[in-house]
Amino acid sequence: MENDTYVKPHNMDEYEVAEWLESLDSVLESSGPEVAVEILERLRAHAKVAGLNLPFTANTPYANTIPARLEAPFPGDQDVERRIKSLIRWNAIAMVVRANRVEHNIGGHISTYASAATLYEVGFNHFFRARSDSFEGDTVYFQGHAAPGIYSRAFLEGRLSKQKLENFRRELKPGGGLSSYPHPWLMPDFWEYPTVSMGLSPLMAIYQARFARYLENRGMKPKTDAKIWAFLGDGETDEPESLGAITLASREKLDNLIFVINCNLQRLDGPVRGNGQIIQELESAFRGARWNVIKVLWGTEWDPILARDTDGLLVKRMGELVDGEYQKLVVESGAYVRQHFFGSDPRLLKLVEPLDDDSLRRLRLGGHDPRKVYAAYKAACDHTGGPTVILARTIKGYGLGEAGEGKNVTHQQKKLNEDELRIFRTRFDIPLTDQDCVEVPFYRPAEDSAEIQYLKSRRDSLGGYTPARKVRAKKIEATGHDELFKEFAEGSEGREVSTTMAFVSMLRKMLKDPEIGKLIVPIVPDEARTFGMESLFRTVGIYSSLGQKYDPVDASTLMYYKEATDGQILEEGITEAGSMGSFIAAGTAYAAYGINTIPFFIYYSMFGFQRIADFIWAAADMRCRGFLLGGTAGRTTLSGEGLQHQDGNSHVLALSVPNLRAYDPAFAYEIAVIIQDGIRRMYKDGEDIFYYITLMNEPYAMPAMPGDVKDGILKGMYRFRASKNKKSKLRAQLFGSGSILREALQAQDILEEKFNVASDVWSVTSYKALYTDGNETDRWNRLHPSSKPRVPYITKALGDAPGVLVAASDYLKTLPNMVSKWLPRRLASLGTDGFGRSEGRQSLRTFFEVDARSIALATLHELHLDGKLESKVLDKAIKELGINPEKQNPVIS
Ligand SMILES: Cc1ncc(C[n+]2csc(CCOP(=O)(O)OP(=O)(O)O)c2C)c(N)n1
Ligand SMILES: [Mg+2]
């Protein structure tokens, strides 16, 4: 952006300016750029001393960062590459147009790829190296809405059939189709990274690049020059996640990271910055964050004009227009461009005198010129010491002409009429007749054509095709894990510990395990001390690419803050999103790098799903493996913190992620069983699932495992303590989860002692597992009416359990309610719907009515509803239990 405070002085002498510029040119020529820079720096210092107030700007002029004379020469065959690119353009359009002809409103995007085609093709022909067994390859995050172009290329490569293209956005058709956007879940051999929820991929790419360095510094993979490329839209940079982690990339000197921002100056509704300049805005943000910024604004056709512009007037003019005006120039004629752009100054008009209107209109932008794009990519790859962002100017809907080029509606364009198709065909030399082209057929030249041969040989020299997803890691054996987890089955022998502490000691043991120890990646967003993990600081170290350049303040203590280049803990600072970026990188390394890293990401449970659910969704799509640990969980178990921290929601939110297994364990042995089984399922059996386990900070004695209840723990529930009283006619089954299980146990005693009710207590470790199983069983029965009906696990488990049913958890009541249809009888649910409070545990449990007394009362009430107790017994019980019937309703207070 032009500096706001700068006002051109009225007495400026243009000749004087020219003299200064000439002197600089001659220094540049005779002594080179280093000397020129030094002189400028000294001039700046001199000016400062002289009292000049130099306005701050992080911007450079609105020109290409790499001057024409310093461009790396383009090594490809530009003509054949153009022909290939044109065919890809055609097929990408055909895919969307055909799909929408068959199924009205099926959607798809034409304009995004149309603007980005050159940016991708230069990458595919010259840069993106495939993954192989001997080289990890480059990682590419493709802009989600550009998917048709990527499919279209894979079609030319012979990797996707015509039928697949025909079934774009029709995934359920026989033979399968293509997903709208990059989804590894749906196309696990093709896509690696989901990118279409905008803003996630830039952040994930940064953490991916950092994770590559982490693996190298820990000696887990060789140091390579592999790159992480992230292609984004300029509109996408409005998402806070897009720019939210850019300082990490420069701080970590991630020169393996390249962002390419497709600056077509438009988003969905209209211009990204109609009244400003998105490119300049991004330049200053990235330069301010110490990125290497390469602007690719103008194509080769501009070079001779710029060369004639010895006064710098043209570059100045280029910087004057706001994006809304630039967009207008795209849709207007050459005459309009001459009048409105060059016409501001007779000297500018003179510069373009030799060009007719048509040539003026065809002056390409940098992002559509393979030579400029190649030079930028090459410079980005050669740059050391930090990340690079390429800001490439393009036109949204490039080549669509009247069908949408540069128009505000172009993002939604899905249909081209016959004329528009013919014009496009002619413009890009697609070898189809007038008649043929209105059918919009997919077109692939013969196998031995120059185009296909060239394309294949380029990919051969880059190691194969991309994108391609392949599981590369070998299975973990998991022998010895019985031994590893055995101690937790024995209980804590009366010692009071929290499930968090139990987990941390498990983690400590796992870190020492000869097979999986090295593979564990502990991740914390500045909460290690909250979870009592500080002893790990010293034992395994905190990862820092810089090692430790200072003597830590607590160096003399046992648990000092040890940073090391081979540190194992990823201490991310206060960023759950960033930590999730690391979790995803570590949890998908089995595919990307062939390394079975096992991430354990522990965080305040309220700041997980509540805050970064979309990253968790992306992780699920990516078939990410690992363990999410929601610490300080439970609306009433986290005392004191109040409304913002107390989590009674996450287990409900976890229901929405299909391949996530969610557990709310109460005891150490339950966690041990879940983690051991999780490692087996994910890393030995290769299941694409991941885990969410809540951990609490309430200390209590961990019991020994009551017999072999492993199966029940994993399936979601088991009877933890049966009543000893077999005679009472008043019977109940109490379900507790997490630390509320202990309230159920207390209720069991109260009911027995005070009201002669005999009850069994069940630990419900996973309502989600029970719910999933119940639904699966129902579905099977519905589809197999003549077969012997199957019985859901929960129904079977309660087959011989008499009496009323009461459930209590530290989460919303909807959790127990959703399994009630498979229960033999009516269910009473207690839960923590409502806002938390700053209070102690017991007061909170009383307030939310999930304490032992509330469980007891609910049980008596159920017995009353069954006609087993009279209401006056309940009135008495309410008094005896000290319950205030007129207390506030926690749900609405
Ligand atoms: C988080 C999120 N919000 C909204 C959308 C819907 N959406 C899809 S594309 C788009 C505009 C994209 O503009 P830009 O990033 O500039 O990409 P371009 O197509 O111009 O290259 C929007 C708003 C989305 N995909 N993700
Ligand atoms: Mg855009």
Side-chain angles (χ1 to χ4, degrees):
M1 244 166 290
E2 285 297 291
N3 199 294
D4 293 340
T5 55
Y6 178 78
V7 182
K8 187 177 159 187
H10 63 280
N11 60 344
M12 194 164 129
D13 179 348
E14 289 295 341
Y15 288 106
E16 203 166 359
V17 176
E19 264 177 43
W20 279 80
L21 295 178
E22 254 171 52
S23 317
L24 185 70
D25 284 346
S26 87
V27 170
L28 200 55
E29 202 158 296
S30 58
S31 313
E34 286 86 6
V35 176
V37 168
E38 177 64 22
I39 291 175
L40 285 173
E41 280 306 318
R42 288 219 204 156
L43 255 181
R44 180 200 293 278
H46 191 77
K48 199 106 197 136
V49 173
L52 294 189
N53 183 16
L54 292 177
F56 170 79
T57 174
N59 276 130
T60 64
Y62 203 80
N64 290 348
T65 306
I66 305 173
R69 66 191 162 82
L70 295 180
E71 273 167 23
F74 185 76
D77 180 332
Q78 228 177 305
D79 184 49
V80 73
E81 287 192 23
R82 180 180 185 271
R83 295 206 307 272
I84 294 169
K85 184 167 62 188
S86 297
L87 295 176
I88 296 175
R89 288 181 185 284
W90 174 263
N91 289 317
I93 286 182
M95 200 179 309
V96 178
V97 172
R98 290 178 74 88
N100 284 278
R101 279 185 185 174
V102 177
E103 179 87 10
H104 181 60
N105 272 346
I106 198 82
H109 298 84
I110 292 175
S111 298
T112 301
Y113 181 73
S115 71
T118 301
L119 302 178
Y120 286 118
E121 277 306 290
V122 172
F124 278 120
N125 284 322
H126 303 283
F127 290 93
F128 306 157
R129 291 161 299 176
R131 301 192 195 282
S132 72
D133 292 336
S134 54
F135 176 60
E136 68 193 82
D138 295 322
T139 300
V140 186
Y141 294 81
F142 296 95
Q143 206 184 333
H145 298 81
I150 313 304
Y151 290 140
S152 176
R153 170 166 251 273
F155 168 63
L156 286 198
E157 290 167 346
R159 298 200 292 150
L160 288 178
S161 67
K162 210 174 258 189
Q163 192 204 6
K164 286 271 187 196
L165 264 62
E166 200 71 72
N167 292 341
F168 172 59
R169 291 190 167 226
R170 302 300 303 275
E171 294 183 89
L172 301 178
K173 282 253 182 167
L178 299 174
S179 59
S180 50
Y181 303 115
H183 293 302
W185 186 261
L186 304 171
M187 295 177 64
D189 302 328
F190 194 84
W191 295 116
E192 294 187 292
Y193 304 103
T195 48
V196 81
S197 177
M198 296 196 308
L200 303 192
S201 85
L203 184 138
M204 292 194 293
I206 290 172
Y207 282 86
Q208 179 75 260
R210 207 274 301 257
F211 188 69
R213 289 284 157 77
Y214 168 89
L215 289 176
E216 288 171 4
N217 280 326
R218 288 193 53 217
M220 297 174 74
K221 83 169 185 68
K223 284 192 189 333
T224 69
D225 66 348
K227 302 286 182 210
I228 318 295
W229 297 79
F231 286 78
L232 343 170
D234 48 359
E236 181 171 11
T237 60
D238 279 343
E239 288 288 358
E241 293 89 347
S242 297
L243 304 188
I246 60 173
T247 52
L248 174 92
S250 43
R251 199 182 329 130
E252 290 290 316
K253 301 192 171 32
L254 298 178
D255 50 21
N256 55 346
L257 178 66
I258 301 167
F259 274 15
V260 180
I261 307 187
N262 177 15
C263 297
N264 52 28
L265 314 187
Q266 288 179 245
R267 44 181 167 74
L268 190 150
D269 284 337
V272 180
R273 295 285 183 273
N275 293 314
Q277 298 173 322
I278 185 64
I279 291 177
Q280 298 298 82
E281 184 178 325
L282 290 172
E283 176 183 44
S284 62
F286 279 97
R287 286 188 83 208
R290 305 206 152 272
W291 282 52
N292 174 39
V293 178
I294 303 178
K295 291 196 285 195
V296 187
L297 310 187
W298 311 104
T300 308
E301 295 82 3
W302 288 87
D303 288 338
I305 309 173
L306 284 160
R308 293 198 287 276
D309 174 41
T310 45
D311 303 331
L313 287 174
L314 180 54
V315 173
K316 189 165 163 297
R317 176 71 184 139
M318 287 165 162
E320 282 169 1
L321 269 66
V322 292
D323 289 354
E325 292 174 296
Y326 268 127
Q327 191 188 344
K328 185 98 193 272
L329 293 183
V330 169
V331 302
E332 291 291 348
S333 66
Y336 183 96
V337 174
R338 190 183 304 276
Q339 190 190 342
H340 288 86
F341 181 71
F342 294 100
S344 66
D345 187 318
R347 289 169 296 178
L348 289 176
L349 279 174
K350 189 142 187 56
L351 287 178
V352 289
E353 226 167 42
L355 282 81
D356 61 20
D357 285 352
D358 211 33
S359 316
L360 272 195
R361 180 140 169 65
R362 274 192 275 119
L363 290 173
R364 260 179 317 174
L365 294 179
H368 295 302
D369 183 342
R371 287 164 65 173
K372 300 289 180 195
V373 172
Y374 177 86
Y377 286 6
K378 180 79 174 63
C381 289
D382 293 345
H383 179 74
T384 55
T388 294
V389 58
I390 292 163
L391 302 173
R393 239 198 97 185
T394 63
I395 293 171
K396 189 145 178 166
Y398 184 68
L400 293 182
E402 282 305 305
E405 190 167 55
K407 298 192 170 166
N408 275 340
V409 294
T410 194
H411 190 84
Q412 309 291 73
Q413 178 60 282
K414 306 178 194 320
K415 291 176 180 167
L416 267 64
N417 65 32
E418 296 184 3
D419 280 347
E420 290 162 345
L421 285 167
R422 283 194 200 104
I423 292 169
F424 189 89
R425 180 271 329 256
T426 308
R427 171 159 184 186
F428 291 104
D429 306 319
I430 312 297
L432 290 172
T433 65
D434 273 7
Q435 188 45 42
D436 281 351
C437 89
V438 299
E439 299 295 324
V440 230
F442 294 119
Y443 181 82
R444 185 174 187 268
E447 197 60 33
D448 60 359
S449 64
E451 289 86 353
I452 299 294
Q453 288 304 307
Y454 183 91
L455 170 142
K456 289 198 157 176
S457 82
R458 288 312 308 144
R459 287 315 311 167
D460 267 355
S461 68
L462 291 162
Y465 295 116
T466 191
R469 185 182 175 280
K470 193 175 159 207
V471 175
R472 292 180 170 79
K474 290 199 190 70
K475 291 173 184 170
I476 277 175
E477 288 307 322
T479 48
H481 285 200
D482 282 344
E483 196 54 40
L484 180 65
F485 291 98
K486 196 174 112 211
E487 120 186 24
F488 303 97
E490 287 156 14
S492 61
E493 291 168 348
R495 213 163 45 89
E496 297 203 332
V497 293
S498 65
T499 48
T500 308
M501 287 161 80
F503 162 73
V504 173
S505 37
M506 245 170 262
L507 183 62
R508 207 175 290 124
K509 276 195 89 178
M510 286 189 279
L511 284 162
K512 288 193 191 130
D513 183 79
E515 188 190 17
I516 60 166
K518 261 194 102 167
L519 299 171
I520 307 273
V521 182
I523 303 166
V524 275
D526 196 33
E527 294 288 357
R529 290 181 204 279
T530 309
F531 306 123
M533 290 168 69
E534 59 270 42
S535 69
L536 297 178
F537 287 169
R538 194 185 60 85
T539 48
V540 295
I542 296 163
Y543 172 74
S544 165
S545 57
L546 299 170
Q548 193 151 36
K549 301 200 317 189
Y550 60 97
D551 189 19
V553 64
D554 50 4
S556 60
T557 66
L558 211 57
M559 297 193 264
Y560 77 92
Y561 197 83
K562 180 185 161 193
E563 300 195 64
T565 43
D566 62 351
Q568 197 160 351
I569 300 172
L570 286 171
E571 162 66 86
E572 297 296 10
I574 312 165
T575 165
E576 283 75 15
S579 304
M580 200 58 207
S582 286
F583 179 81
I584 288 169
T588 54
Y590 70 92
Y593 304 109
I595 303 171
N596 270 321
T597 35
I598 310 174
F600 285 87
F601 167 28
I602 182 164
Y603 54 89
Y604 253 111
S605 78
M606 192 63 157
F607 303 131
F609 278 94
Q610 189 103 344
R611 191 172 177 116
I612 48 155
D614 207 15
F615 278 105
I616 299 176
W617 185 257
D621 187 348
M622 251 175 281
R623 299 165 179 266
C624 178
R625 299 172 185 168
F627 296 91
L628 297 170
L629 300 135
T632 55
R635 184 103 70 207
T636 68
T637 304
L638 175 59
S639 63
E641 290 285 5
L643 179 154
Q644 183 58 70
H645 289 67
Q646 291 161 345
D647 169 33
N649 311 344
S650 63
H651 275 291
V652 176
L653 299 173
L655 290 172
S656 62
V657 183
N659 51 346
L660 179 75
R661 302 187 62 81
Y663 287 96
D664 182 11
F667 300 129
Y669 65 82
E670 294 178 353
I671 301 173
V673 167
I674 294 160
I675 290 182
Q676 182 180 357
D677 191 61
I679 292 176
R680 176 189 64 77
R681 289 182 67 167
M682 294 185 285
Y683 295 95
K684 191 173 179 202
D685 300 347
E687 282 190 61
D688 290 327
I689 52 174
F690 64 133
Y691 284 73
Y692 175 56
I693 304 174
T694 38
L695 300 174
M696 281 77 63
N697 62 0
E698 182 176 0
Y700 44 83
M702 291 294 154
M705 185 151 77
D708 188 5
V709 291
K710 280 187 186 171
D711 192 49
I713 294 171
L714 297 171
K715 287 194 167 137
M717 76 189 297
Y718 65 96
R719 194 179 337 234
F720 174 74
R721 195 167 80 187
S723 168
K724 291 198 189 75
N725 178 351
K726 303 286 174 221
K727 280 186 247 144
S728 175
K729 286 218 174 65
L730 299 175
R731 309 287 308 211
Q733 305 299 320
L734 309 181
F735 308 146
S737 305
S739 41
I740 300 301
L741 175 59
R742 295 176 66 250
E743 298 292 333
L745 288 167
Q746 233 181 299
Q748 184 186 37
D749 294 340
I750 297 173
L751 286 164
E752 169 109 33
E753 285 159 20
K754 290 195 162 51
F755 303 100
N756 193 30
V757 177
S759 60
D760 298 348
V761 174
W762 298 70
S763 175
V764 180
T765 49
S766 176
Y767 280 108
K768 185 175 184 187
L770 298 172
Y771 178 65
T772 309
D773 171 74
N775 278 324
E776 261 174 37
T777 314
D778 279 0
R779 177 176 177 275
W780 192 92
N781 290 341
R782 192 161 53 242
L783 295 172
H784 304 87
S786 300
S787 307
K788 186 173 168 231
R790 291 181 179 170
V791 182
Y793 171 75
I794 185 170
T795 315
K796 244 185 287 180
L798 288 162
D800 65 347
V804 297
L805 309 174
V806 177
S809 90
D810 229 358
Y811 296 85
L812 305 186
K813 295 180 184 77
T814 197
L815 273 183
N817 281 342
M818 72 189 185
V819 298
S820 64
K821 68 189 264 200
W822 299 291
L823 292 174
R825 292 172 298 282
R826 196 182 57 244
L827 174 74
S829 302
L830 303 178
T832 59
D833 305 49
F835 285 124
R837 290 289 191 282
S838 304
E839 254 301 349
R841 253 172 223 134
Q842 270 322 311
S843 307
L844 285 167
R845 287 179 185 163
T846 304
F847 176 71
F848 280 104
E849 299 159 20
V850 291
D851 59 340
R853 292 175 306 166
S854 300
I855 298 172
L857 176 61
T859 310
L860 297 176
H861 185 243
E862 289 301 305
L863 287 165
H864 163 65
L865 291 178
D866 277 0
K868 304 232 161 94
L869 287 178
E870 299 208 5
S871 59
K872 55 181 189 258
V873 181
L874 265 82
D875 287 335
K876 208 167 139 244
I878 287 176
K879 282 207 190 82
E880 220 178 309
L881 291 167
I883 290 170
N884 170 13
E886 306 313 323
K887 77 182 269 293
Q888 290 169 291
N889 180 354
V891 181
I892 50 165
S893 60

